Amino acid sequence: MSGLVALCVLTALSLALGYANKARCTGPEFDEWGRSEPAYQERAYGDVCYSDIQNLWIGRDIDRHVFPYVHGGIEPDGSLYGGVVEYPVLSGVLMWAGAFFVDTDAGFLAASALLMAPFGLATAWWLGRLSGWRALLWALSPPLVLYAFHNWDLPVVACAVGAVFLVHRWTSVSLRRRATVAAVVLGLGFALKIYPALFVLPLALYVLTSGKERWDVRGALQVVGASIATAVVVNVPFMIAGFGGWLASFEFQSRRQVDISTNSIWYWGFRDLTGSADFQSAMGLVSPLLMLLSFAVACVVGWLRYERCGTYPWIPVSAAMLVGFLLLHKVHSPQYTLWLLPFFVLVRVRWGWIAAYLVADLAMGISIFRWLYLNMMGEPSGIHDGFTAQALMIGVWGRAALLVGLFIVFLKSRSTVDSPGDERVLPGRPAPRLQEA
């Protein structure tokens, strides 16, 4: 217990540092809309203290305390109005709640941090219960300082980790029941940031194949049904109250172009083509198709491991699916590293992979804002003009190369929450050789 308390204290210190870093962009003066002055944008990029939380205080009617989705929609040019935000409904409600008692972007950042910090602490507690001292990777990691309050991601990360905790530590009830409750939590995660929905299929396959004598088809279907039902129950009230506003958040993401704001390999690899309508249209098909292919490969490899070992490796498969999403989606925002970080705790990956990824991410996470600042100020920002652009390319392409490797590594590795007997050798099959990859 004392170890878990210490883990949460260390996490709280990292969260405090994360807030202090973002708060450097606030005040000391404010204009009539509650926007920090002077020179907010220049400071946000130049001092590397930018956050979406502070930035979106203006432009989404958050400063006007408009309840999201009910009265708004999307314009033909893709801009949102009437309180609509570009995130799923629970994130929208969280944003509205964070702005309820404040009237400046500084107050919004502080209130949002207070709302989300408990989710970061809960994640630390669950990771500590699941994987012991490896949870320090969450508590003391640079990404937690850089991105904890960059966007509204701590609650969705907590949903993903909470689902794993329910499946593997709530052992007083049957697997079917705890997996069903975990699926409900993943459904709530979908209503926050979409990506936890990826983990429903591996979880269902885990339940399907965990029967002692035969497949548990009913349990697997129950897992899928519970996640879908949860997502529907959460979304339907918003659909009824303002269908156009609810739909607009999804339309915004579907229309999103590959540009500097997406920060993906598609932008950095094809910058000269991003102005082409044909290229943008092609990306609308290529990116999702490649993601689906990566998901299928991960699930199939997981099935091959099941046939050899007797247990479906749903956590490593989930990690690989997330890697496929991060690598191939047309948007790769800096704070997405928070999504991946718990899997470094939950899967036995060699430390070299983890350290390399954190270094590449740090290079990208700092240099991207310095590069934007140089562009804003009209300063030279090419690869031959200084270390900023060089560090950015090292970060972007180093991270991409590591994601390719991690896709393979995760699928070869054992989960840290499993006991040695969890992967059992089926009669007539060779013993598994699963180590840290």
Side-chain angles (χ1 to χ4, degrees), residues 74-75 80 244 246-256:
I74 187 168
E75 300 283 6
L80 299 170
W246 172 83
L247 185 62
S249 64
F250 294 96
E251 286 190 46
F252 180 91
Q253 296 296 345
S254 68
R255 293 189 196 180
R256 193 163 182 183

Side-chain angles (χ1 to χ4, degrees), residues 224-272:
V224 174
S227 62
I228 294 174
T230 302
V232 170
V233 167
V234 172
N235 280 273
V236 161
F238 293 89
M239 297 170 67
I240 295 173
F243 184 80
W246 172 83
L247 185 62
S249 64
F250 294 96
E251 286 190 46
F252 180 91
Q253 296 296 345
S254 68
R255 293 189 196 180
R256 193 163 182 183
Q257 303 285 292
V258 174
D259 56 28
I260 182 54
S261 71
T262 64
N263 197 36
S264 65
I265 61 170
W266 305 115
Y267 171 74
W268 293 110
F270 301 97
R271 287 174 63 186
D272 293 340

Side-chain angles (χ1 to χ4, degrees), residues 279-304:
F279 172 78
Q280 297 292 349
S281 178
M283 281 296 98
L285 291 175
V286 171
S287 173
L289 286 176
L290 288 177
M291 283 193 298
L292 290 174
L293 178 61
S294 73
F295 301 160
V297 169
C299 289
V300 169
V301 173
W303 190 266
L304 295 175

Side-chain angles (χ1 to χ4, degrees), residues 161-202:
V161 175
V164 177
F165 180 83
L166 287 168
V167 172
H168 290 275
R169 292 295 178 265
W170 188 26
T171 55
S172 59
V173 300
S174 68
L175 173 61
R176 181 190 292 181
R177 182 177 177 185
R178 60 183 190 260
T180 301
V181 177
V184 170
V185 175
L186 292 176
L188 293 173
F190 171 84
L192 283 161
K193 278 290 180 78
I194 304 293
Y195 87 88
L198 299 178
F199 310 147
V200 173
L201 179 56

Side-chain angles (χ1 to χ4, degrees), residues 5 15 63 72 104 128 136 166 181 190 196 222 250 271 292 305 335 349 352 373 405-406 427 435-436:
V5 172
L15 293 174
D63 58 319
T104 66
L136 288 172
L166 287 168
V181 177
F190 171 84
Q222 192 168 299
F250 294 96
R271 287 174 63 186
L292 290 174
R305 274 184 61 174
Q335 77 276 5
V349 178
Y373 172 77
L406 283 168
Q435 303 172 355
E436 288 189 354

Side-chain angles (χ1 to χ4, degrees), residues 191-414:
L192 283 161
K193 278 290 180 78
I194 304 293
Y195 87 88
L198 299 178
F199 310 147
V200 173
L201 179 56
L203 177 57
L205 291 172
Y206 177 69
V207 173
L208 174 71
T209 56
S210 293
K212 293 183 178 179
E213 298 181 357
R214 59 183 181 181
W215 289 349
D216 186 4
V217 176
R218 181 178 177 182
L221 292 175
Q222 192 168 299
V223 165
V224 174
S227 62
I228 294 174
T230 302
V232 170
V233 167
V234 172
N235 280 273
V236 161
F238 293 89
M239 297 170 67
I240 295 173
F243 184 80
W246 172 83
L247 185 62
S249 64
F250 294 96
E251 286 190 46
F252 180 91
Q253 296 296 345
S254 68
R255 293 189 196 180
R256 193 163 182 183
Q257 303 285 292
V258 174
D259 56 28
I260 182 54
S261 71
T262 64
N263 197 36
S264 65
I265 61 170
W266 305 115
Y267 171 74
W268 293 110
F270 301 97
R271 287 174 63 186
D272 293 340
L273 301 177
T274 53
S276 165
D278 290 338
F279 172 78
Q280 297 292 349
S281 178
M283 281 296 98
L285 291 175
V286 171
S287 173
L289 286 176
L290 288 177
M291 283 193 298
L292 290 174
L293 178 61
S294 73
F295 301 160
V297 169
C299 289
V300 169
V301 173
W303 190 266
L304 295 175
R305 274 184 61 174
Y306 156 68
E307 290 185 331
R308 187 174 74 250
C309 305
T311 299
Y312 191 85
W314 84 278
I315 297 176
V317 169
S318 296
M321 291 175 72
L322 178 59
V323 165
F325 179 92
L326 296 178
L327 180 64
L328 299 170
H329 194 264
K330 61 183 179 181
V331 180
H332 193 156
S333 296
Q335 77 276 5
Y336 289 1
T337 302
L338 289 178
W339 304 0
L340 185 61
L341 197 56
F343 286 108
F344 288 146
V345 178
L346 297 171
V347 183
R348 297 186 190 279
V349 178
R350 289 188 185 275
W351 295 108
W353 286 101
I354 298 171
Y357 191 86
L358 294 181
V359 169
D361 180 77
L362 189 65
M364 187 285 306
I366 294 175
S367 60
I368 182 64
F369 295 106
R370 289 295 303 171
W371 185 79
L372 289 170
Y373 172 77
L374 293 175
N375 277 269
M376 177 185 296
M377 302 305 293
E379 299 287 339
S381 59
I383 195 72
H384 301 293
D385 294 320
F387 183 67
T388 295
Q390 295 165 8
L392 179 56
M393 291 300 98
I394 290 171
V396 168
W397 294 112
R399 186 180 61 177
L402 288 164
L403 286 174
V404 173
L406 283 168
F407 183 83
I408 300 170
V409 165
F410 279 134
L411 290 174
K412 292 173 57 180
S413 301
R414 188 193 297 276

